[in-house]
Amino acid sequence: NDWPRLPGNNNFKVLKAGADKLGYKECHTGNMAINSVQRDDRNSCQQTGFCFQGCKWGAKWSTLYTEIPKGEATGHLEVRPSSMVVKINHDASGKVTGVVYADKDGKLQEQKARIVAVAGNSIESPRLLLNSESSKFPHGLANSSGQVGKNYMRHTTGSVYAIFDKPVHMYRGTTMAGIIRDEARHDPSRGFVGGYEMETLSLGLPFMAAFLNPGGWGRSFTTALDHYDHMAGLWIVGEDMPREENRITLHKDEKDDHGMPIADVHFDDHANDTAMRDHAYKQGQALYAAVGATRTFPTPPYPSTHNLGTNRMSEKAADGVVNKHGQTHDIKNLFVSDGSQFTTGGAENPTLTIVSLAIRQADYIATQMSAKSI
């Protein structure tokens, strides 16, 4: 299409200047699901910043106020808010027949269905499949491979912030409209496999105080916050290793309000993740130093970012949970429609890929239902 990319704010201009100094070639404001011009009866981005609070202008694409209202307008979509599915039912043959869910009042209801599509992402989706165990499926639904819950990924992340002599006002404009893709290549000579990207990032002041140096105290920390308007920042997002040891299981003791075991999440960094993050810290600091930063701050990763994996896609049933359409290998009318299908995380924010897979899956389901194959 001929829609322009979003304009670069001051944070991007600092990033771009540093990228040029280091010889990076692929640096731009990115291709984002945020209107740069009015489109689809929604406003364009007004560059007011603080995007993590939610888009106040409706410029950012979101199923909440784009696709769901359109679906409801057709008369073929019903949304039941404040409801929680606790189990997927199946018949004697193993075909799923619907779900049991707790409604907004906590009362259990049954909804029969011709197909069931699970979209709780990488923690709640495997939890639901495991909690739906039965005598026919003693290890949970769609789990003949034993792969449900395994290979949990969340991207290798971290941040680098820098202070400059002159104000930057990084918080103005679209928060993450800026990306360097040169390091996303696979180049083991750097000391790790896979790659990462660097993206513009700014946090609101309370968020920044919590994450710049968790547990930080004293003048070194407070003087950094005093220079908040002189800061520039970037975020690191890289491909972490899928490992069976990183997994979602059911907690042995704790249960939710509906009496179902909660998810028990286990994750450890692979040595490759650590090497990648260290390289990214070094490059991020070098980028800012090249354009005159007076101080730089490598910042620890968030506890979790992009939850991926745990119901991985595979060609062979023995190697994963779903096929290329997100259809479970074991049960033809049970689908997974979220990021838990991912076999690897790549060095990319995953939302648009998740959406693309969901659209392809919807087309496949429609074709299969029309042919009465499911």
Side-chain angles (χ1 to χ4, degrees), residues 272-308:
N272 193 80
D273 306 335
T274 303
M276 180 185 295
R277 183 181 293 113
D278 288 344
H279 186 276
Y281 281 151
K282 179 181 176 182
Q283 292 302 106
Q285 290 177 283
L287 181 149
Y288 286 134
V291 287
T294 58
R295 296 171 68 184
T296 55
F297 303 87
T299 301
Y302 304 143
S304 182
T305 302
H306 300 142
N307 294 311
L308 302 168

Side-chain angles (χ1 to χ4, degrees), residues 38-356:
Q38 288 188 355
R39 177 178 175 271
D40 197 27
D41 296 324
R42 291 185 290 116
N43 207 346
S44 60
C45 176
Q46 300 299 297
Q47 298 294 302
T48 49
F50 298 104
C51 302
F52 288 177
Q53 297 176 1
C55 184
K56 303 171 183 65
W57 301 95
K60 178 183 178 294
W61 176 89
S62 169
T63 53
L64 182 64
Y65 54 75
T66 57
E67 308 314 307
I68 289 177
K70 290 178 182 178
E72 289 179 315
T74 68
H76 300 300
L77 171 66
E78 179 187 354
V79 177
R80 299 176 188 174
S82 303
S83 299
M84 176 80 176
V85 175
V86 298
K87 188 174 184 179
I88 301 171
N89 289 335
H90 64 81
D91 61 20
S93 71
K95 179 180 177 180
V96 297
T97 57
V99 300
V100 175
Y101 71 95
D103 65 19
K104 60 183 177 63
D105 298 317
K107 184 179 179 180
L108 293 181
Q109 307 280 359
E110 182 180 10
Q111 175 62 58
K112 294 188 179 298
R114 184 171 165 184
I115 68 164
V116 172
V118 180
N121 214 25
S122 298
I123 295 176
E124 288 299 324
S125 284
R127 178 193 175 212
L128 178 59
L129 295 178
L130 294 172
N131 270 328
S132 298
E133 64 181 4
S134 65
S135 58
K136 187 172 183 64
F137 299 108
H139 303 295
L141 294 186
N143 198 24
S144 64
S145 64
Q147 289 293 316
V148 170
K150 294 183 178 179
N151 301 291
Y152 170 57
M153 299 170 288
R154 60 186 192 183
H155 274 147
T156 298
T157 65
S159 306
V160 178
Y161 291 93
I163 294 175
F164 293 87
D165 286 330
K166 295 182 179 180
V168 176
H169 302 295
M170 64 177 177
Y171 43 84
R172 296 176 180 171
T174 311
T175 297
M176 302 193 76
I179 190 168
I180 298 171
R181 300 202 65 249
D182 299 67
E183 298 287 1
R185 69 190 189 279
H186 174 62
D187 179 5
S189 69
R190 294 175 295 177
F192 55 89
V193 299
Y196 64 89
E197 295 177 340
M198 292 178 278
E199 306 174 6
T200 54
L201 178 67
S202 66
L203 302 178
L205 194 52
F207 202 177
M208 177 67 77
F211 280 95
L212 182 65
N213 180 15
W217 196 255
R219 289 299 298 162
S220 176
F221 178 64
T222 57
T223 54
L225 295 179
D226 286 342
H227 289 85
Y228 176 71
D229 59 345
H230 286 58
M231 277 187 179
L234 64 83
W235 185 57
I236 301 154
V237 55
E239 181 176 359
D240 55 341
M241 292 292 99
R243 306 171 66 199
E244 288 197 357
E245 296 86 353
N246 291 338
R247 61 186 300 183
I248 311 301
T249 56
L250 298 179
H251 200 283
K252 295 180 180 179
D253 303 311
E254 294 192 36
K255 300 183 186 302
D256 64 14
D257 292 342
H258 310 298
M260 305 303 294
I262 66 170
D264 191 343
V265 182
H266 177 83
F267 184 90
D268 291 314
D269 275 335
H270 189 279
N272 193 80
D273 306 335
T274 303
M276 180 185 295
R277 183 181 293 113
D278 288 344
H279 186 276
Y281 281 151
K282 179 181 176 182
Q283 292 302 106
Q285 290 177 283
L287 181 149
Y288 286 134
V291 287
T294 58
R295 296 171 68 184
T296 55
F297 303 87
T299 301
Y302 304 143
S304 182
T305 302
H306 300 142
N307 294 311
L308 302 168
T310 70
N311 289 312
R312 68 188 329 195
M313 188 181 290
S314 65
E315 182 177 2
K316 298 177 181 178
D319 297 332
V321 180
V322 301
N323 64 17
K324 64 182 180 180
H325 298 293
Q327 182 181 34
T328 62
H329 291 297
D330 297 351
I331 305 171
K332 287 183 64 176
N333 66 332
L334 176 62
F335 290 78
V336 175
S337 313
D338 54 38
S340 68
Q341 301 174 73
F342 283 39
T343 55
T344 64
E348 307 288 343
N349 295 45
T351 299
L352 297 183
T353 304
I354 293 171
V355 172
S356 297

